Amino acid sequence: MTSRTISVGALARVEGEGGLEIVLRDGEVKSAALTIFEPPRFFEALMRGRAFTEAPDIAARICGICPVAYQMSAVHAMEDALGVRVTGPLRDLRRLLYCGEWIESHMLHVHMLHMPDFLGYAGGVDMARDHGDIVRRGLAIKKVGNEIMTLVGGREIHPINVRVGGFYRAPRKRDLRALAERLERALEQALQVARFVAGFDFPDCARDYVFVSLRHADEYPFNEGRIVSSRGLDIAARDFETHFEEFHVQRSTALHARMRHCDAPYLVGPLARYALNADVLSPLAKEAAREARLESVCVNPYRSIIVRAIETIFALDEALRIIARYEEPDASCIAIAPRAGVGHAATEAPRGMLYHRYRLEADGTIADAIITPPTSQNQAMIEEDLKRLTGAFVHLPEDELRHRCEQTVRNHDPCISCSTHFLRLEIDRG
């Protein structure tokens, strides 16, 4: 029997720190394990005893790349507990804020984290030496996303203008209109990005994923919808814990997740969102997907870079639509009285569905909090990908095999900062 172990001490171009261990026996992958070793961050414990009004700002600190999803999930869960529903221009502003976050997060991942894998570079900085125009174009699109977050959220990282019931201050109509020209230019650039990444040389593979995402009747989902799966699940956010469970594995400081009824892993994120919601993309995004030859359900995880490019086009298109119809609200928020209750919410972070649950005391104090980030939900499926996909590459030299393993993980843009952190690789060939 021949065997070997391949290890990556610290996986590059992922958000956070962790390790990866692959064990090979007689040329086959016997096991693959993510070993997230960064200490837990205990945000759920930090919430206890704090006022419900503090949750959005605390939750936003979980991630510097997708703080909007964390704070808006907290806001929606609090409003669910307090019996409040936000509609009209305030709801539109929330969708606009999500557009900003998706644009900046997707363009960061596409250009600085994922694209170097396909063009043969160690990272975005090396790639920029030969492809400066491509990197500058990606960062220019990202900048527009950051501008939306600054204007609507108060600042581009860890926004401070979001509150339970609405916003501290609603942006002026003329300020949003001033963004339109830059959004139009970014949209043209994003269409070029989609055409460019569609031409990459992708490994030929397919996975039989169980996709899970939000589904809204007539909107591509950001912050509302039912939780659905590609196997027929269709539930409200408040039933999440009935159908999904988190569990601890010894090798990781981040929890894993599985579906209770089948004890199986599942996938959240752009591939799942697109597979379950492609029919409600904007016409322009649908046309871009057709031009990129993106099938209605994409089961090749290496092609997820195309899906992120298409979702960026949608977010820019949606932002322009929201700004065109925006009218300043009479008030920037709804007045809320505290009460006892339990609130649930699921929203779509760029990396996938994010679930929050809070239990409030009668005075609005947080008694208990549960936060399930997308990377925790995807960890088990990423390990399944490594077992099933890297088997085709075991003949490669050590460095090339290590690169393929890292690329396989990067397909899903794991955010270890959220789950908690990532990546070190060990490959054991015996």
Side-chain angles (χ1 to χ4, degrees):
M1 181 177 72
T2 61
S3 60
R4 61 176 174 162
T5 300
I6 297 178
S7 65
V8 170
L11 220 153
R13 285 185 277 129
V14 295
E15 175 61 27
E17 300 172 6
L20 175 60
E21 181 174 302
I22 306 289
V23 176
L24 306 174
R25 295 291 182 267
D26 293 330
E28 294 184 359
V29 180
K30 288 299 181 186
S31 66
L34 300 180
T35 53
I36 293 176
F37 50 79
E38 185 150 327
R41 301 167 72 202
F42 300 119
F43 268 87
E44 290 146 316
L46 287 171
M47 294 279 191
R48 294 176 198 151
R50 309 301 290 262
F52 77 91
T53 53
E54 296 180 274
D57 289 335
I58 296 172
R61 297 309 193 276
I62 293 174
C63 185
I65 296 178
C66 50
V68 170
Y70 280 94
Q71 66 180 178
M72 291 305 302
S73 297
V75 161
H76 280 279
M78 292 300 173
E79 291 170 358
D80 183 49
L82 298 167
V84 173
R85 181 167 177 78
V86 172
T87 60
L90 294 178
R91 181 180 185 277
D92 283 349
L93 284 174
R94 290 177 169 183
R95 281 186 67 79
L96 181 58
L97 192 54
Y98 270 86
C99 290
E101 179 161 280
W102 278 28
I103 294 165
E104 63 86 12
S105 179
H106 278 350
M107 288 296 96
L108 174 68
H109 183 259
V110 165
H111 289 86
M112 303 306 290
L113 307 183
H114 210 192
M115 191 179 289
D117 285 330
F118 298 98
L119 297 183
Y121 293 92
V125 174
D126 291 335
M127 190 178 77
R129 294 193 184 101
D130 297 328
H131 300 283
D133 290 346
I134 292 170
V135 173
R136 280 191 289 273
R137 181 178 65 193
L139 294 180
I141 301 169
K142 178 184 181 299
K143 182 180 178 183
V144 175
N146 287 108
E147 289 179 14
I148 293 174
M149 292 177 67
T150 300
L151 188 53
V152 180
R155 62 187 185 192
E156 61 187 51
I157 299 174
H158 301 147
I160 53 174
N161 191 35
V162 172
R163 62 183 294 176
V164 181
F167 294 87
Y168 288 101
R169 176 185 176 277
R172 303 299 300 270
K173 184 175 180 177
R174 64 170 180 266
D175 294 333
L176 288 184
R177 290 286 172 86
L179 266 180
E181 185 176 340
R182 296 196 287 282
L183 283 165
E184 293 278 9
R185 174 163 173 72
L187 182 55
E188 286 301 317
Q189 293 172 316
L191 290 166
Q192 296 168 11
V193 171
R195 296 182 194 114
F196 181 68
V197 299
F200 288 167
D201 183 17
F202 297 101
D204 184 16
C205 67
R207 291 276 285 114
D208 183 21
Y209 289 119
V210 176
F211 290 128
V212 174
S213 82
L214 291 185
R215 167 79 187 179
H216 189 278
D218 51 20
E219 294 175 342
Y220 203 74
F222 283 140
N223 51 346
E224 286 186 22
R226 292 178 66 79
I227 298 172
V228 301
S229 82
S230 53
R231 303 294 167 85
L233 184 72
D234 185 352
I235 60 171
R238 64 177 51 252
D239 296 323
F240 176 87
E241 291 170 67
T242 302
H243 294 269
F244 301 89
E245 66 175 345
E246 292 181 290
F247 60 97
H248 180 256
V249 294
Q250 189 171 6
R251 62 181 178 274
S252 177
T253 53
L255 295 174
H256 284 211
R258 62 192 168 203
M259 303 186 82
R260 288 183 185 274
H261 75 282
C262 58
D263 192 24
Y266 59 99
L267 187 74
V268 300
L271 286 179
R273 215 158 38 218
Y274 176 79
L276 296 167
N277 296 279
D279 61 312
V280 287
L281 280 169
S282 66
L284 183 63
K286 287 180 181 175
E287 178 56 33
R290 281 193 291 271
E291 187 180 345
R293 299 183 300 279
L294 186 65
E295 51 272 38
S296 59
V297 177
C298 178
V299 292
N300 182 339
Y302 298 94
R303 287 167 62 80
S304 61
I305 192 170
I306 306 176
V307 178
R308 286 187 176 85
I310 298 302
E311 284 197 333
T312 303
I313 291 167
F314 167 76
L316 288 160
D317 204 18
E318 179 74 353
L320 282 164
R321 186 188 69 81
I322 292 170
I323 289 173
R325 74 177 190 184
Y326 176 68
E327 298 294 339
E328 293 174 25
D330 296 332
S332 65
C333 66
I334 298 170
I336 296 176
R339 71 179 192 188
V342 177
H344 310 254
T347 76
E348 287 288 344
R351 292 167 180 80
M353 189 181 71
L354 165 65
Y355 170 75
H356 284 220
R357 170 173 62 80
Y358 298 94
R359 182 167 59 85
L360 301 180
E361 306 285 9
D363 64 353
T365 299
I366 299 170
D368 191 28
I370 295 291
I371 299 173
T372 305
T375 294
S376 289
Q377 297 180 73
N378 276 346
Q379 279 187 87
M381 192 58 89
I382 292 173
E383 291 181 342
E384 285 292 309
D385 270 13
L386 287 164
K387 283 187 229 174
R388 297 175 186 279
L389 300 178
T390 59
F393 309 124
V394 295
H395 62 285
L396 294 174
E398 205 83 353
D399 286 348
E400 292 182 40
L401 177 56
R402 181 178 290 106
H403 169 74
R404 283 296 187 184
C405 290
E406 292 190 70
Q407 183 184 14
T408 300
V409 174
R410 279 193 288 270
N411 288 334
H412 301 293
D413 192 15
C415 186
I416 300 165
S417 300
C418 300
S419 71
T420 72
H421 276 240
F422 207 53
L423 198 66
R424 171 177 74 192
L425 170 62
E426 294 185 5
I427 300 180
D428 176 358
R429 296 180 188 268

